[in-house]
């Protein structure tokens, strides 16, 4: 393939992975993606509860709505699960001093996990090349747009990474904080401003981890990218984020209700261009989470690759659910009601049910009374 043609196809691949690009019409199968190659046979597939059952989209996400304020003025989310949670349920002080710092801390955990795992596999020099390429090609070009789209007009930002010379990049990490870092006096902002800030920090987080994933894909292929994601989420990100949620958000319980609260505020799955989720608890110890929209589904289906989508989902999502629920209680059960590939575009992307195992369940884990669920 001539270099010019390869560069053009790479540009197309990067373009579809920009925030919101998957929502545009006219996206077609990408030849660059096909050329990457991926093993679509040898990977773990997790079964649905019933393959014959599909779930059409019904209710949509309401968490981002700012025209409704319950008056709850929550200081954190240590209280009971709220089935109709909106971010405006939190006080302005909680949004400014807990929710926004929590989101940024989550982002730092994610990018540091990518850097650590890539360093282990390829060395510090290669990690630095990948990180700076990701920042330069995919993150930095979006900074001003995101500032204008999500932050109040008086909030300014200057990228400190512009001051790092090419010679110093090999020994200097990218600084990711700053754009959506909470500013002093945040509690004086309006709730719509703070909610927008939170949603922007979510898009920024996704852009950062997407940039790392894309650079790995371009260099080493989709299989390696999926493997790195599988490793770092289960081994590093999820355990660290559980502790952050306890510290910032007050989510400290061990039941299904606490897990549902965790999911409602997870900074990688907020409503916006990438995701639309709903949550329900039909019974006290049963929770259901539904993805009506997912950026991965939109991207891979729009490129005509539901086969790659299937591997993408099975390589990451079930593990993240299973690992994290065990942090809450080793007997929390995860049932997959729906997972790609979809049968119809009007179906939900995926649907998960969480419940507690009975002692009669062959997979029940006896827990000593002195032990804290989810810990050794």
């Amino acid at each position: 393939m001539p270099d010019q043609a390869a560069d053009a196809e790479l540009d197309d691949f990067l373009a579809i992975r920009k925030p919101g690009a998957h929502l545009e019409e006219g996206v077609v199968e990408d030849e660059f993606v096909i050329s990457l190659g991926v093993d679509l046979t040898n990977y773990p597939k997790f079964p649905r509860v019933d393959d014959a059952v599909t779930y059409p989209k019904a209710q949509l996400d309401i968490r981002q709505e700012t025209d409704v304020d319950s008056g709850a003025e929550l200081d954190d989310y240590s209280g009971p699960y709220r089935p109709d949670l909106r971010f405006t349920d939190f006080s302005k002080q909680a949004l400014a001093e807990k929710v926004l710092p929590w989101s940024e801390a989550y982002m730092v955990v994610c990018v540091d996990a990518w850097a650590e795992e890539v360093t282990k596999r390829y060395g510090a020099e290669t990690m630095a090349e990948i990180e700076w390429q990701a920042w330069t090609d995919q993150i930095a070009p979006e900074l001003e747009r995101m500032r204008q789209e999500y932050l109040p007009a008086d909030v300014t930002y200057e990228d400190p990474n512009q001051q790092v010379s090419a010679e110093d990049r090999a020994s200097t990490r990218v600084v990711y904080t700053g754009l959506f870092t909470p500013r002093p006096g945040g509690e004086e902002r309006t709730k719509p401003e703070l909610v927008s800030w939170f949603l922007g920090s979510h898009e920024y987080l996704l852009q950062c981890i997407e940039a790392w994933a894309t650079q790995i894909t371009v260099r080493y292929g989709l299989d390696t990218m999926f493997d790195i994601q599988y490793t770092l989420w289960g081994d590093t990100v999820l355990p660290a984020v559980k502790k952050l949620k306890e510290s910032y958000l007050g989510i400290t319980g061990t039941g299904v209700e606490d897990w549902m609260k965790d999911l409602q505020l997870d900074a990688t799955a907020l409503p916006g261009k990438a995701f639309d989720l709903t949550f329900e608890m039909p019974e006290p110890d049963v929770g259901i989470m539904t993805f009506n929209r997912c950026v991965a589904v939109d991207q891979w289906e729009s490129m005509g690759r539901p086969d790659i989508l299937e591997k993408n989902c099975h390589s990451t999502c079930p593990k993240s659910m299973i690992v994290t629920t065990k942090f809450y209680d080793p007997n929390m059960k995860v049932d997959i009601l729906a997972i790609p590939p979809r049968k119809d575009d009007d179906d939900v992307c995926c649907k998960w049910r969480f419940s507690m195992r009975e002692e009669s369940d062959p997979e029940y884990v006896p827990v000593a009374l002195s032990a804290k669920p989810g810990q050794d």
Side-chain angles (χ1 to χ4, degrees), residues 87 90-101 191 194-195:
F87 300 138
F90 293 95
S91 68
K92 292 194 294 182
Q93 185 170 5
L95 288 168
E97 298 179 3
K98 295 180 180 179
V99 175
L100 293 182
K191 282 192 180 181
L194 293 169
V195 170

Side-chain angles (χ1 to χ4, degrees), residues 221-235:
L222 284 164
D223 284 333
T224 297
M225 186 272 287
F226 290 143
D227 183 63
I228 290 177
Q229 282 189 154
Y230 189 87
T231 300
L232 65 87
W233 279 99
D235 295 351

Side-chain angles (χ1 to χ4, degrees), residues 69-231:
D69 191 334
S70 66
E73 297 299 303
L74 301 177
D75 291 329
D76 56 25
Y77 207 10
S78 58
Y81 162 80
R82 299 174 68 87
D84 55 351
L85 178 76
R86 293 176 175 84
F87 300 138
T88 53
D89 290 343
F90 293 95
S91 68
K92 292 194 294 182
Q93 185 170 5
L95 288 168
E97 298 179 3
K98 295 180 180 179
V99 175
L100 293 182
W102 132 254
S103 183
E104 180 163 84
Y106 197 146
M107 179 272 297
V108 171
V109 166
C110 289
V111 294
D112 284 353
W114 273 99
E116 180 180 355
E117 186 62 29
V118 173
T119 298
K120 286 180 182 178
R121 297 184 184 217
Y122 305 110
E125 183 177 350
T126 298
M127 183 281 292
E129 292 176 2
I130 290 171
E131 180 171 44
W132 281 99
Q133 196 76 46
W135 179 265
T136 303
D137 289 355
Q138 293 169 262
I139 304 172
E142 303 295 329
L143 297 176
E144 180 58 18
R145 176 195 60 78
M146 286 190 276
R147 186 192 68 80
Q148 293 184 24
E149 186 172 345
Y150 292 105
L151 296 177
D154 63 297
V155 175
T156 60
Y157 168 75
E158 292 186 10
D159 178 10
N161 299 297
Q162 293 183 0
Q163 308 304 316
V164 180
S165 66
E167 293 75 16
D168 291 334
R169 289 183 175 182
S171 58
T172 306
R173 287 287 311 280
V174 167
V175 176
Y176 295 90
T177 57
L179 178 59
F180 289 99
T181 300
R183 310 302 201 264
E187 69 279 0
E188 301 300 322
R189 299 281 182 183
T190 67
K191 282 192 180 181
E193 286 178 325
L194 293 169
V195 170
S196 179
W197 200 307
F198 186 32
L199 298 177
S201 71
H202 158 70
E203 181 172 310
Y204 177 64
L205 186 161
L206 294 184
Q207 184 67 7
C208 290
I209 59 179
E210 174 70 11
W212 274 95
T214 300
Q215 292 300 322
I216 292 295
T217 299
V218 170
R219 284 175 176 246
Y220 304 111
L222 284 164
D223 284 333
T224 297
M225 186 272 287
F226 290 143
D227 183 63
I228 290 177
Q229 282 189 154
Y230 189 87
T231 300

Side-chain angles (χ1 to χ4, degrees), residues 329-376:
D329 192 302
N331 286 306
M332 196 176 298
K333 183 180 180 182
V334 179
D335 289 317
I336 303 175
L337 302 180
I339 193 170
R342 298 190 293 180
K343 293 183 178 180
D344 191 282
D345 289 346
D346 291 328
D347 290 340
V348 301
C349 297
C350 62
K351 195 177 188 76
W352 309 78
R353 183 175 63 206
F354 310 100
S355 59
M356 299 302 298
R357 296 185 188 279
E358 303 288 342
E359 290 190 30
S360 59
D361 190 316
E363 296 185 41
Y364 181 82
V365 179
V367 180
L369 294 178
S370 58
K372 181 178 179 181
Q375 296 184 356
D376 294 331

Side-chain angles (χ1 to χ4, degrees), residues 63 74-87 89-90 94 98-99 245-246 248-253 257-266 279:
R63 292 173 294 164
L74 301 177
D75 291 329
D76 56 25
Y77 207 10
S78 58
Y81 162 80
R82 299 174 68 87
D84 55 351
L85 178 76
R86 293 176 175 84
F87 300 138
D89 290 343
F90 293 95
K98 295 180 180 179
V99 175
K245 288 174 180 173
E246 294 178 358
Y248 285 97
L249 306 178
I251 302 175
T252 58
E257 178 183 13
D258 305 292
W259 169 233
M260 293 298 289
K261 294 194 299 180
D262 177 314
L263 294 170
Q264 286 178 310
L265 286 180
D266 191 272
F279 309 86

